[in-house]
Amino acid sequence: MRIFDKLPPMDHLRSEKMIFVQLIMPVESAHRAITYLGDLGLLQFKDLNKDKSPFQRTFANQVKRCGEMSRKLNFFKDQISKAGLLSTPRPALRSDVDLEELEVQLADHESELLEMNANSEKLRQSYNELFEFKLVLLKAGGFLVSAQNQTSTHEREMEENLYTAEDYGDRASLLEQEMQPEPSSKAGLRFISGIICKSKSLKFERMLFRATRGNMFFHQAPAEEHVMDPVTGEMVEKTVFVVYFSGEQAKSKIVKICAAFGANCYPVPEDISKQRQMTSEVLTRLSELEATLDAGIRHRNKGLSSIGSHLSKWTLLVRKEKAVYDTLNMLNFDVTKKCLVGEGWCPIFAKPQIQEALQHATIDSNSQVGIIFHVMNAVESPPTYFKTNRFTHAFQEIVDAYGVARYQEANPGVYTVITFPFLFAVMFGDWATAFACYWDHWCLYCERIDLDLRYISSALTLPRLGSFMEMAFGGRYVLLLMSLFSIYCGLIYNEFFSRSFQIFGSSAYKCREPNLRPYRFGVDPRWRGSRTELPFLNSLKMKMSILFGVTQMNLGIILSFFNAKFFGTSLDIWYQFTPQIINSLFGYLALLIVVKWCSGSQADLYHVMIYMFLSPTDDLKENQLFWGQRTLQILLLLVAIIAIPWMLFPKPFILRKLNTERFQGRTYGILVTSEIDLDSEPDSARPHVEDFNFSEVFVHQMIHSIEFILGAVSNTASYLRLWALSLAHSELSTVFFEKVLLLAWGYDNAIIRLLGLAVFAFATTFVLLMMETLSALLHSLRLHWVEFQGKFYYGDGYKFRPFSFAAALADVDDD
Amino acid sequence: MYGFEAMTFNIHGGYLEAIVRGHRSSLLTAADYNNLCQCESLDDIKMHLSATEYGPYLQNEPSPLHTTTIVEKCTLKLVDEYKHMLCQATEPLSTFLEYITYGHMIDNVVLIVTGTLHERDVHELLDKCHPLGMFDSIATLAVATNMRELYRLVLVDTPLAPYFSECITSEDLDDMNIEIMRNTLYKAYLEDFNRFCQTLGGATAEIMSDLLAFEADRRAVNITINSIGTELTRDDRRKLYSNFGLLYPYGHEELAICEDIEQVRGVMEKYPPYQSIFAKVSYGESQLLDNAFYVEEVKRLCLAFEQQFHYAVFFAYIRLREQEIRNLMWISECVAQNQKSRVHDSVVFIF
């Protein structure tokens, strides 16, 4: 064990050392201090006001104001995008805007904008009315005129017996003409003209028909020009209508119905000359209004674009302020109400940086009293913080998806960086498809660079890729390593769309080759297509999978030793790690495989393994691989049998003994402490006394032991999926290549060949590149999570989430 | 196929049931209500609600907030959810969902007709209508002056048309007539809904018949209490009771002849499920009766979620959400009018 003590401390495996700190800030410098800490982003604040609802907290008012301001900013953004303007941020003239100042400014801008909107709304309304009036005049006037013209040809049309509707119309217009001299004071035939949405016109007509019991005539024509809907701002198709009716009651009904359907009624004079006069009046007023409207819009756009130039800066500021106040809300006021007390976690290395930031804050806010920053003891376990870079981030995410590491626990993420893509590649080994993956990676990369360039040049809001693309881009380095390893494995398997190439020298099995030299790298291309191809490759890949599996699982067990050593639990080393590592029947299998490969022996490994259990004392005969094999086997078997009770029994009993020793003669002590615990504050640093429940511990240990022993078999078998998937991949690509592409190529027809090529390309892309990638990814995920991490990883920690502006802003962007 | 819904229900109803159960879990809890009751101003309420699913609906409201805005936005959320579910629904679930809104439709019709009777502006009335009970030609209701016209002009197009067969008279509309019309319509609606649920069979029929029976009985009690001391004859009163429910038929006979609240209490206490409701309401406090009924209803609606593979969850969810909106309205009114001592009076905790 001495050797292990001398090893370097394995910093990369452990999460950052954290300390629990307390900050006591004078009120006047608190805001600035938090801002600086947010810029730094290395301190995680603990919520000290958990029992208070959001509006009871100290800075609820400020948070509310920030919410109000961001609402205003959203409103501006909406208006700007509605107006179709592009906001181009100009270099800010004043770098610093005060929040109070900004609030006033925003309120001014909003009221100004609202007023402008209301004005233009009013203008737009009257414009719309006039516009509709114009349409009605043109159309309805047209009806009337045509009706008048028709009177001359009335009789002829009657004879021809045209549509009844027209018939009615004729009669109506006839009557109307008679009415014309005496205005419509008497109950006679009169009309109402107006305009209505096209979608409603059918129902409108039906309703009119019902209300007047059919005593009306409805004439409609679609308006050629679309009218803008004042509420939504969309262009709506409308229909001009004229209703002829008789009677005062009918009139009131129709007017009500018109109002109910939102149909706008406009009076149209029956006299043509009057009509013309009105039309010209309306047209002139329309053009006037149009000019006014345009001017208004130009003015508004100018205002909006000036807002737009500051918008992104303001938004940033408001979001930052909101984050600061949210954090301030987590702090406690001390008794004198002069200081704010905050508690939180920070990594040890960040201590000087934080102190420096706090000092700056004190100086910048001209505070008399400095900010007190000191380390405290904490009851709860610290958060886990791994420093990652762009490359390791995705791999760490893979591990975190299973569970965040316990504080300072060995981090499997370090190994995952290589083992994950490698195990993937073992399953995916085909260097043609791997090249395609590699190409994907570059496409992703270039696309992102392209986006970044555009972002820099236009400096608009941050471009967001689609969620799938975002995910793929986040895992670009995973993809890169996976494809590189796949190329490597593909070269070893010598597979290129199920073809093999002679890249590395000539085959060893060529006829008339005088000196049998093995093929230089990977599988000999001669195997391809031979009758023994599958048995050979299967045996190779199976053995390889077991070797990888045993190696990786042993690494896991060894990591559990380092964990136990680090946390100083010698109990775990002696009664958990030791029986586990010596219980290595599969390690023996791995050894046999290697020996067999090196010696070229013909021994049957199944036979060796099976008879090792059935009759360990028998002679091995031709299956003997090395001297002393039988003794070793018996020894291993004995050790394996001993290891089971070793793992199962001592640990719980020793734990019980330790526990009883600890509380000997202190039976009353427990009661007292528990009472004190109830009274004391929740965040006091008093160590909690946990109840020791023997049966629970024993059952737990039993489950753990059984899991390990059964797992030794099933986990090793689980690694055979490496072989199975690789087999499936190569068989699938063989099928696609031979049964699709070669079959199509057999025809001497360009169309069939093209078709075959297309089917082959699609099958390769969707089945091999997408489905197979996903399944290999999932399987290697499983191997890492269950088989590897199950050996040592607790994964019950929680992540370090420092208060930082960058994270807060990114969060908002996600919404 | 009672008992075998599990085999086929999810083909059409599975997605929506999942959706509605998801919505249910976003209902405000007792802890939320406790926090809301402590609010000092409407802005506080908005702030608290912004942490719930109402957040997106309220976040863009300018700061001086009104109770009506809060209620409006909360209702808007319900309507959005309902519309989404209706779009996704297939037969017979879509019909079931439509049935849920008919009650609001009846209320809206009555509201508009009463409003026009008192010469209110139609558009003002339209704003007050419940958005779930809107139909295309609702604004035209103002044109009608008597029941027959009302039916012939407007309602013949709506799903309410069949319910009108019992109340077409040529009498002019007045307050009394309208109220009778509302109750007749409601009776026909509840009976029709109940019949429809029975045709669906299975757990839907079982649970819905319980819920609708409760609804019918509650209406019977309310009609009785409201008609005490009016000129409504006993036979007319008897006609307004729905022909199903726990009280049907003997309870109805007894309710029809009640002359004061104590007699109603005497009748209702014969029925064990309602005994507890009336036991809670001490003598002379009839205004609390509504609230007691609401509490009981919420309890029953929550129980509907205990079973799977039936449609009653949709009904229950919409009702629960409406109750929640009523609660929010009460709380915001209390907060706005500085009556915080009364805030607990009519808030019904759902969970």
Side-chain angles (χ1 to χ4, degrees):
Chain A
M1 288 300 143
R2 288 283 147 73
I3 317 161
F4 294 119
D5 294 337
K6 283 176 201 150
L7 286 178
M10 299 206 295
D11 277 339
H12 288 292
L13 274 182
R14 312 269 171 217
S15 61
E16 295 293 333
K17 282 209 173 72
M18 308 297 273
I19 39 172
F20 192 68
V21 294
Q22 193 180 39
L23 294 168
I24 301 174
M25 295 177 271
V27 175
E28 64 268 18
S29 58
H31 183 269
R32 202 175 285 267
I34 297 288
T35 315
Y36 287 170
L37 288 178
D39 283 328
L40 197 62
L42 281 170
L43 187 63
Q44 173 179 3
F45 284 95
K46 192 176 150 196
D47 193 353
L48 298 177
N49 300 324
K50 261 191 192 127
D51 46 335
K52 284 187 185 171
S53 52
F55 49 83
Q56 288 171 328
R57 298 188 175 201
T58 328
F59 294 94
N61 229 343
Q62 279 87 339
V63 172
K64 255 188 262 173
R65 273 168 54 200
C66 287
E68 181 69 19
M69 274 193 273
S70 65
R71 181 194 66 74
K72 279 175 191 160
L73 288 171
N74 273 345
F75 172 68
F76 293 147
K77 207 167 137 194
D78 246 31
Q79 292 288 325
I80 287 173
S81 69
K82 246 187 206 166
L85 293 174
L86 281 178
S87 57
T88 44
R90 284 178 220 140
L93 298 175
R94 282 170 301 164
S95 58
D96 221 23
V97 191
D98 198 16
L99 196 68
E100 272 75 29
E101 217 174 290
L102 181 64
E103 198 176 10
V104 176
Q105 242 178 3
L106 286 182
D108 283 353
H109 280 305
E110 197 198 15
S111 61
E112 195 183 338
L113 197 61
L114 281 178
E115 202 185 315
M116 272 198 275
N117 278 354
N119 280 342
S120 68
E121 193 89 335
K122 257 187 242 158
L123 277 175
R124 165 71 53 190
Q125 192 105 26
S126 45
Y127 176 79
N128 267 359
E129 265 168 31
L130 273 175
F131 187 68
E132 285 179 0
F133 192 20
K134 185 190 94 184
L135 288 175
V136 172
L137 270 177
L138 289 176
K139 281 281 159 186
F143 298 155
L144 297 175
V145 171
S146 68
Q148 277 171 358
N149 290 341
Q150 274 169 2
T151 42
S152 53
T153 54
H154 175 214
E155 269 154 349
R156 192 170 51 80
E157 277 185 20
M158 279 295 275
E159 279 162 24
E160 281 174 12
N161 214 349
L162 276 173
Y163 300 113
T164 30
E166 245 167 305
D167 197 17
Y168 272 126
D170 287 341
R171 234 181 285 157
S173 55
L174 254 184
L175 284 170
E176 237 167 76
Q177 280 191 323
E178 283 164 26
M179 284 314 138
Q180 264 182 7
E182 57 240 19
S184 46
S185 57
K186 276 186 200 166
L189 204 63
R190 282 177 296 161
F191 68 89
I192 287 178
S193 54
I195 194 162
I196 191 170
C197 273
K198 200 179 176 187
S199 54
K200 283 190 196 162
S201 71
L202 205 66
K203 270 194 194 116
F204 180 60
E205 187 179 349
R206 193 162 49 194
M207 187 59 64
L208 285 174
F209 187 84
R210 270 196 219 130
T212 55
R213 297 173 191 249
N215 293 326
M216 61 102 203
F217 172 64
F218 186 79
H219 200 138
Q220 60 176 353
E224 273 105 11
E225 286 161 275
H226 292 197
V227 181
M228 185 142 106
D229 186 23
V231 183
T232 57
E234 277 170 34
M235 300 307 269
V236 189
E237 261 184 89
K238 290 215 168 182
T239 305
V240 175
F241 66 89
V242 181
V243 194
Y244 302 94
F245 59 91
S246 74
E248 197 60 44
Q249 240 190 342
K251 184 185 175 188
S252 72
K253 268 185 194 169
I254 290 172
V255 168
K256 268 187 187 170
I257 291 173
C258 285
F261 274 89
N264 299 326
C265 298
Y266 301 99
V268 178
E270 289 157 48
D271 195 13
I272 298 174
S273 59
K274 260 192 197 165
Q275 266 182 32
R276 291 220 177 102
Q277 192 188 336
M278 272 183 102
T279 316
S280 63
E281 259 176 49
V282 165
L283 280 178
T284 47
R285 277 186 59 198
L286 257 182
S287 61
E288 276 169 28
L289 262 179
E290 210 159 341
T292 332
L293 255 180
D294 276 351
I297 286 175
R298 241 177 288 132
H299 181 61
R300 184 162 162 269
N301 282 354
K302 215 155 93 190
L304 277 180
S305 62
S306 81
I307 292 172
S309 62
H310 298 291
L311 195 62
S312 57
K313 196 180 76 191
W314 288 344
T315 317
L316 205 70
L317 182 77
V318 169
R319 281 180 190 165
K320 269 189 181 179
E321 286 295 324
K322 185 157 184 296
V324 168
Y325 284 119
D326 276 339
T327 311
L328 279 172
N329 269 336
M330 292 193 199
L331 309 184
N332 245 343
F333 258 117
D334 78 334
V335 202
T336 55
K337 296 258 170 197
K338 293 234 172 80
C339 307
L340 281 164
V341 182
E343 286 170 14
W345 294 100
C346 72
I348 279 183
F349 73 84
K351 215 173 136 189
Q353 288 171 357
I354 290 173
Q355 268 163 341
E356 197 184 348
L358 293 178
Q359 234 162 28
H360 271 298
T362 314
I363 296 164
D364 288 352
S365 54
N366 295 326
S367 174
Q368 305 276 321
V369 194
I371 297 169
I372 302 168
F373 174 82
H374 64 95
V375 180
M376 299 213 313
N377 289 327
V379 195
E380 64 212 274
S381 79
T384 311
Y385 176 42
F386 293 112
K387 270 207 269 186
T388 53
N389 52 25
R390 269 186 301 180
F391 183 74
T392 56
H393 179 73
F395 294 101
Q396 191 64 50
E397 287 289 302
I398 289 175
V399 173
D400 285 351
Y402 175 82
V404 177
R406 195 179 269 194
Y407 176 60
Q408 296 255 294
E409 185 181 17
N411 177 16
V414 179
Y415 298 99
T416 306
V417 172
I418 294 303
T419 53
F420 181 80
F422 181 69
L423 288 188
F424 171 85
V426 171
M427 290 182 260
F428 198 73
D430 178 346
W431 57 278
T433 35
F435 261 122
C437 270
Y438 188 66
W439 180 246
D440 270 3
H441 161 254
W442 274 110
C443 288
L444 265 181
Y445 202 73
C446 296
E447 195 172 337
R448 183 62 192 202
I449 287 174
D450 184 38
L451 271 178
D452 280 348
L453 284 179
R454 259 185 283 158
Y455 168 62
I456 292 162
S457 60
S458 69
L460 272 174
T461 47
L462 207 71
R464 312 292 300 177
L465 299 165
S467 62
F468 179 76
M469 284 299 283
E470 191 70 26
M471 209 171 68
F473 181 72
R476 64 195 181 282
Y477 289 111
V478 184
L479 203 61
L480 171 74
L481 278 191
M482 284 189 326
S483 48
L484 286 181
F485 277 115
S486 297
I487 293 170
Y488 171 70
C489 282
L491 286 175
I492 287 185
Y493 295 160
N494 207 343
E495 266 190 51
F496 180 92
F497 287 134
S498 78
R499 296 290 87 189
S500 47
F501 285 93
Q502 286 194 16
I503 307 173
F504 304 102
S506 55
S507 166
Y509 302 109
K510 231 176 195 167
C511 292
R512 275 168 298 188
E513 185 75 24
N515 48 341
L516 273 175
R517 212 173 24 152
Y519 188 61
R520 281 206 196 111
F521 186 81
V523 176
D524 196 309
R526 257 309 118 136
W527 287 104
R528 180 65 58 190
S530 68
R531 255 189 316 142
T532 44
E533 180 197 353
L534 266 187
F536 168 70
L537 281 179
N538 282 352
S539 140
L540 172 77
K541 286 177 182 173
M542 256 192 266
K543 283 173 185 156
M544 217 168 67
S545 315
I546 289 178
L547 282 185
F548 288 145
V550 168
T551 317
Q552 198 182 19
M553 286 191 294
N554 275 325
L555 175 66
I557 296 174
I558 289 169
L559 281 177
S560 84
F561 163 73
F562 282 110
N563 263 349
K565 197 169 83 75
F566 183 82
F567 291 118
T569 47
S570 57
L571 208 61
D572 279 346
I573 298 179
W574 288 115
Y575 303 104
Q576 198 145 314
F577 164 71
T578 322
Q580 279 182 3
I581 196 79
I582 60 170
N583 182 5
S584 59
L585 293 174
F586 287 97
Y588 176 60
L589 176 61
L591 177 76
L592 287 184
I593 290 170
V594 174
V595 170
K596 186 180 170 182
W597 273 351
C598 295
S599 64
S601 146
Q602 302 272 317
D604 183 1
L605 295 187
Y606 293 112
H607 192 271
V608 175
M609 285 308 282
I610 290 169
Y611 281 90
M612 175 176 165
F613 290 97
L614 292 181
S615 49
T617 49
D618 277 7
D619 191 23
L620 286 161
K621 291 177 203 149
E622 80 275 7
N623 288 332
Q624 172 110 20
L625 278 164
F626 53 87
W627 180 86
Q629 192 180 356
R630 201 171 58 176
T631 334
L632 181 67
Q633 282 186 6
I634 294 171
L635 194 73
L636 278 175
L637 209 58
L638 282 177
V639 163
I641 291 166
I642 292 167
I644 296 170
W646 189 356
M647 220 182 309
L648 181 57
F649 293 113
K651 194 180 159 190
F653 284 102
I654 292 172
L655 275 178
R656 187 169 71 165
K657 195 172 148 238
L658 284 178
N659 195 58
T660 44
E661 269 169 15
R662 199 157 137 214
F663 290 112
Q664 217 145 37
R666 282 178 55 194
T667 354
Y668 300 105
I670 305 166
L671 257 178
V672 175
T673 41
S674 68
E675 259 173 33
I676 288 171
D677 267 7
L678 285 177
D679 303 334
S680 61
E681 312 143 62
D683 51 341
S684 70
R686 188 181 303 280
H688 288 277
V689 184
E690 281 169 28
D691 288 345
F692 181 79
N693 190 340
F694 177 70
S695 60
E696 205 172 283
V697 172
F698 190 77
V699 167
H700 183 81
Q701 186 66 20
M702 201 158 75
I703 293 170
H704 196 85
S705 314
I706 293 173
E707 199 192 328
F708 182 80
I709 291 157
L710 293 183
V713 183
S714 67
N715 288 357
T716 314
S718 194
Y719 275 92
L720 287 178
R721 71 185 69 224
L722 293 177
W723 153 65
L725 261 100
S726 147
L727 175 72
H729 187 88
S730 77
E731 288 304 305
L732 268 177
S733 55
T734 313
V735 167
F736 290 141
F737 193 80
E738 282 177 4
K739 299 293 172 211
V740 178
L741 196 64
L742 289 190
L743 195 75
W745 229 247
Y747 292 90
D748 196 16
N749 185 334
I751 297 173
I752 292 181
R753 282 185 175 184
L754 216 64
L755 207 69
L757 197 66
V759 172
F760 173 71
F762 270 105
T764 307
T765 319
F766 287 106
V767 179
L768 290 185
L769 273 179
M770 292 179 73
M771 270 173 53
E772 281 281 290
T773 311
L774 278 183
S775 77
L777 200 77
L778 281 180
H779 282 290
S780 77
L781 259 188
R782 188 221 136 93
L783 287 180
H784 277 84
W785 283 350
V786 181
E787 272 77 31
F788 175 51
Q789 295 180 13
K791 296 280 181 290
F792 66 99
Y793 191 58
Y794 289 103
D796 54 357
Y798 64 101
K799 245 186 180 169
F800 177 58
R801 295 189 186 286
F803 164 63
S804 90
F805 287 140
L809 295 180
D811 265 3
V812 174
D813 276 348
D814 279 344
D815 290 345
Chain B
M1 283 270 281
Y2 185 55
F4 290 94
E5 293 97 339
M7 283 168 70
T8 52
F9 183 87
N10 280 350
I11 299 171
H12 291 295
Y15 170 64
L16 280 177
E17 191 181 354
I19 293 258
V20 85
R21 280 178 191 276
H23 284 325
R24 171 194 172 267
S25 60
S26 74
L27 287 169
L28 299 180
T29 59
D32 286 318
Y33 283 120
N34 280 334
N35 276 333
L36 283 171
C37 291
Q38 291 166 12
C39 288
E40 294 291 336
S41 69
L42 289 183
D43 280 333
D44 288 347
I45 290 181
K46 176 188 166 189
M47 193 159 152
H48 187 87
L49 287 181
S50 62
T52 65
E53 296 225 334
Y54 289 118
Y57 287 86
L58 284 169
Q59 73 180 2
N60 281 342
E61 287 310 307
S63 198
L65 215 55
H66 298 287
T67 318
T68 45
T69 337
I70 294 180
V71 173
E72 202 178 290
K73 291 295 164 188
C74 295
T75 316
L76 186 66
K77 177 180 183 311
L78 171 65
V79 172
D80 283 352
E81 284 167 2
Y82 171 79
K83 280 189 180 149
H84 177 247
M85 290 197 284
L86 189 63
C87 287
Q88 304 286 332
T90 51
E91 281 297 329
L93 178 55
S94 52
T95 314
F96 183 87
L97 286 175
E98 275 164 8
Y99 262 106
I100 296 176
T101 61
Y102 293 169
H104 292 294
M105 239 179 238
I106 295 172
D107 286 341
N108 284 353
V109 168
V110 171
L111 179 79
I112 301 258
V113 172
T114 325
T116 10
L117 208 62
H118 296 291
E119 309 203 325
R120 297 278 192 79
D121 181 35
V122 182
H123 291 283
E124 184 188 320
L125 289 170
L126 281 180
D127 289 341
K128 281 188 191 161
C129 284
H130 198 285
L132 273 185
M134 286 302 224
F135 50 94
D136 282 333
S137 42
I138 190 162
T140 350
L141 284 169
V143 181
T145 49
N146 63 30
M147 225 72 101
R148 192 176 291 277
E149 253 189 347
L150 197 67
Y151 174 70
R152 204 174 49 75
L153 267 183
V154 192
L155 295 173
V156 72
D157 277 345
T158 65
L160 298 183
Y163 307 150
F164 253 83
S165 55
E166 274 188 52
C167 59
I168 295 179
T169 51
S170 301
E171 287 173 59
D172 278 350
L173 291 167
D174 60 36
D175 282 343
M176 179 85 164
N177 275 337
I178 291 172
E179 206 48 44
I180 290 175
M181 177 184 86
R182 182 215 293 271
N183 286 310
T184 324
L185 282 179
Y186 229 100
K187 170 193 173 182
Y189 157 62
L190 283 179
E191 283 170 6
D192 189 30
F193 196 5
N194 192 36
R195 221 175 298 125
F196 173 70
C197 291
Q198 296 309 318
T199 60
L200 291 176
T204 309
E206 188 193 357
I207 298 168
M208 282 309 290
S209 77
D210 180 48
L211 293 175
L212 289 175
F214 180 77
E215 179 78 21
D217 291 345
R218 180 171 67 176
R219 290 197 77 82
V221 172
N222 280 340
I223 290 168
T224 313
I225 291 176
N226 290 336
S227 64
I228 289 171
T230 58
E231 61 218 47
L232 199 71
T233 63
R234 288 177 180 181
D235 281 344
D236 285 342
R237 194 197 281 179
R238 174 74 190 76
K239 270 188 212 157
L240 295 178
Y241 300 152
S242 308
N243 287 330
F244 67 101
L246 211 58
L247 298 176
Y248 176 77
Y250 304 112
H252 287 171
E253 300 296 339
E254 289 182 63
L255 276 182
I257 55 169
C258 285
E259 293 294 340
D260 58 39
I261 286 195
E262 294 319 310
Q263 285 178 5
V264 177
R265 177 194 291 274
V267 174
M268 295 306 287
E269 278 178 347
K270 290 178 193 163
Y271 293 88
Y274 302 121
Q275 215 170 9
S276 61
I277 297 176
F278 277 83
K280 263 185 242 163
V281 184
S282 57
Y283 286 86
E285 281 181 316
S286 60
Q287 71 269 26
L288 286 179
L289 188 63
D290 268 346
N291 204 28
F293 267 118
Y294 279 139
V295 173
E296 177 69 18
E297 190 192 6
V298 162
K299 209 161 83 192
R300 284 164 187 250
L301 291 173
C302 285
L303 285 180
F305 283 93
E306 300 296 316
Q307 277 196 57
Q308 226 186 324
F309 310 127
H310 63 95
Y311 293 154
V313 283
F314 297 96
F315 178 78
Y317 169 68
I318 300 225
R319 282 298 168 91
L320 285 176
R321 195 53 103 176
E322 280 166 6
Q323 180 60 43
E324 183 176 290
I325 292 168
R326 270 198 296 274
N327 287 343
L328 284 176
M329 180 158 79
W330 178 261
I331 293 174
S332 357
E333 277 299 343
C334 285
V335 169
Q337 297 178 9
N338 268 331
Q339 296 277 335
K340 282 188 66 182
S341 51
R342 297 189 54 202
V343 85
H344 283 285
D345 285 1
S346 96
V347 172
V348 181
F349 290 160
I350 293 174
F351 296 119

